[in-house]
Amino acid sequence: MTPLRAVKGMNDVLPDEVGRWQRVERAYARSMALHGFREVRTPYVEPTALFVRAIGEVTDIVEKEMYSFDHRGEALTLRPEGTASAARAYIEHAVHGREPVTRWWYTGPMFRAERPQRGRYRQFFQVGAEIFGDEGPGCDAEMIDMLVGFLNELAVPGIEVVVNTLGGPSTREQYRAALVAHLTPKAESLSADSQRRLGTNPLRILDSKSESDKAAVSDAPTLHDFLGAGDREHFERLRAALDALGTPYSVDPRLVRGLDYYTRTLFEIRGAHDKLGAGSTLVGGGRYDGMVAALGGPSVPAIGFAAGLERLLIASDLTEATNTVDALVAPLGAGATTAGLVLARDLRRAGVRCEIDTRGGSLKSQLRRANTLGARIVVILGDSELAENVVQVKDLAAHTQDRVGRDDVVRAVALRLADDTARMVAPAASREPA
Ligand code: AMP
């Protein structure tokens, strides 16, 4: 029978890799806590209408990337991103009535039916955060600076911060008209996608990858020509705050990003191109001051971002050198196995991560197993040790072996582990031969 395989673009993460994932997740949770954010968990499935309203009907996500289905008459969608759900939960639980400013973070899988490639998957994980209730550019700068700190902590080389402002809705309207006026005479030179977008979502033409589209927009007016005084001041204050924080960035007036909901501040953080290729965007974020009201909530300004976890892992130079356990209890023979189970339990109660090889193989094979697991200590229990109520404590890092009385084993092992100057590094990635 042909074995079944995972859905295309949806990946398993095997235990050898999970350590790096957890390290990034821990660093993120810590960074969030340091900045006063609290975790929120929303469902993976939402009403389709939520994403259509929040993200916008004529966006790539809503037009062609959502996993939508009908379930007993309800139109549902696997969430393609986290912001719409966060905003929905914020409104549904009337959080605005309890606190003037809300800082939430989240992590979890997102689903988009894109063409899979390196760094682009159909189920992928994001870490993200939202701030509701603060319209000032100060928290925008704080968010960008926090992300730079987080990426530095992950040892991501070559990061570049790009910022832009989209102004408010009236700026967008005026600019949209000017862009359409500029591009309409050149419509025939545009890609098929962009010709269509000219009538639906012309701003998206600005971030088209097609060469002919790039040529057509190269001399287009920029959105900055249409900014009102308030938008301009907001952007200037953001830049001044980033300067004061010493966060390097560049301004790209053509940065628009794919989603409809952005207003004013918009940003992207990219990693070194050699690692990520064309999909070098690690983090995308921006203000969405109109979304909460558009979803039926009060008029509350907001800003947020999301970063792809798989892309962070590709970009990060961190290695995770953890071992699976600290100690292996190695009983030699059936009689020793029972005594070994008791000993292993005692070690665990003292906080020693420990595995027992209940297959009762030869000492040689058990030492090989200890090596694979990265265990520093092997507690050997043979028949003669059993008879004398002792064990052998073998320290693979210090290259010693001691005979220790049964009652002293836990203390002896814990003492050796506390002195981790000779701590072992990661076990070999290869599997132990069967
Ligand atoms: P977005 O929600 O489109 O603004 O994307 C934010 C971040 O999520 C991107 O910068 C990527 O790091 C990540 N991302 C978006 N789409 C995918 C995908 N299909 N596969 C992997 N990561 C993704």
Side-chain angles (χ1 to χ4, degrees), residues 42 48 87 93 239 248 431:
T42 59
T48 302
H93 302 283
R239 299 186 55 174
R431 289 265 181 87

Side-chain angles (χ1 to χ4, degrees), residues 314-384:
I314 294 172
S316 162
D317 281 338
L318 281 187
T319 52
E320 185 60 350
T322 54
N323 50 358
T324 309
V325 294
D326 304 308
L328 178 75
V329 174
L332 305 176
T337 300
T338 312
L341 284 171
V342 177
L343 182 56
R345 190 197 56 196
D346 291 350
L347 283 167
R348 290 170 187 139
R349 282 183 177 166
V352 176
R353 295 179 306 157
C354 146
E355 190 176 303
I356 171 165
D357 195 341
T358 49
R359 295 172 305 172
S362 68
L363 181 59
K364 197 169 154 209
S365 78
Q366 302 220 38
L367 289 176
R368 216 168 37 221
R369 173 99 189 125
N371 221 10
T372 309
L373 295 172
R376 173 175 168 176
I377 306 289
V378 185
V379 182
I380 304 165
L381 263 164
D383 284 339
S384 58

Side-chain angles (χ1 to χ4, degrees), residues 110-387:
M110 306 294 162
F111 303 85
R112 296 184 198 172
E114 298 188 82
R115 197 166 59 79
Q117 53 185 284
R118 182 172 163 81
R120 188 177 300 286
Y121 313 102
R122 291 183 169 172
Q123 176 186 279
F124 58 99
F125 286 73
Q126 283 186 337
V127 292
E130 322 289 347
I131 301 176
F132 297 99
D134 186 344
E135 67 178 345
C139 68
D140 307 17
E142 185 193 16
M143 191 173 256
I144 294 169
D145 182 61
M146 169 188 80
L147 282 160
V148 170
F150 171 59
L151 294 172
N152 284 337
E153 200 179 324
L154 297 186
V156 174
I159 62 171
E160 276 176 43
V161 178
V162 186
V163 299
N164 190 23
T165 180
L166 293 182
S170 72
T171 307
R172 289 270 279 275
E173 273 319 302
Q174 290 173 45
Y175 180 58
R176 188 185 151 110
L179 190 63
V180 171
H182 174 85
L183 292 174
T184 303
K186 307 173 180 214
E188 279 183 8
S189 72
L190 295 176
S191 67
D193 257 358
S194 291
Q195 289 188 18
R196 194 172 46 81
R197 285 184 179 139
L198 197 52
T200 55
N201 194 354
L203 261 64
R204 288 305 316 280
I205 302 174
L206 295 177
D207 55 17
S208 164
K209 302 278 179 286
S210 138
E211 288 305 323
S212 58
D213 292 348
K214 281 187 192 164
V217 298
S218 63
D219 56 348
T222 79
L223 205 140
H224 287 204
D225 304 333
F226 297 84
L227 290 176
D231 296 334
R232 235 175 247 289
E233 194 208 330
H234 193 276
F235 194 49
E236 288 312 315
R237 283 172 55 205
L238 165 67
R239 299 186 55 174
L242 288 173
D243 290 340
L245 288 161
T247 307
Y249 64 92
S250 61
V251 177
D252 178 359
R254 292 192 196 288
L255 180 71
V256 291
R257 301 192 42 75
L259 315 177
D260 253 6
Y261 53 58
Y262 289 122
T263 49
R264 291 191 161 171
T265 307
L266 194 65
F267 62 92
E268 270 187 11
I269 306 183
R270 301 173 189 149
H273 282 271
D274 56 332
K275 287 197 152 189
L276 285 151
S280 64
T281 307
L282 291 169
V283 188
R287 258 189 186 279
Y288 50 98
D289 290 341
M291 191 202 280
V292 176
L295 291 177
S299 174
V300 171
I303 181 167
F305 69 85
L309 213 69
E310 291 87 349
R311 287 197 200 171
L312 292 177
L313 286 159
I314 294 172
S316 162
D317 281 338
L318 281 187
T319 52
E320 185 60 350
T322 54
N323 50 358
T324 309
V325 294
D326 304 308
L328 178 75
V329 174
L332 305 176
T337 300
T338 312
L341 284 171
V342 177
L343 182 56
R345 190 197 56 196
D346 291 350
L347 283 167
R348 290 170 187 139
R349 282 183 177 166
V352 176
R353 295 179 306 157
C354 146
E355 190 176 303
I356 171 165
D357 195 341
T358 49
R359 295 172 305 172
S362 68
L363 181 59
K364 197 169 154 209
S365 78
Q366 302 220 38
L367 289 176
R368 216 168 37 221
R369 173 99 189 125
N371 221 10
T372 309
L373 295 172
R376 173 175 168 176
I377 306 289
V378 185
V379 182
I380 304 165
L381 263 164
D383 284 339
S384 58
E385 281 86 12
L386 209 56

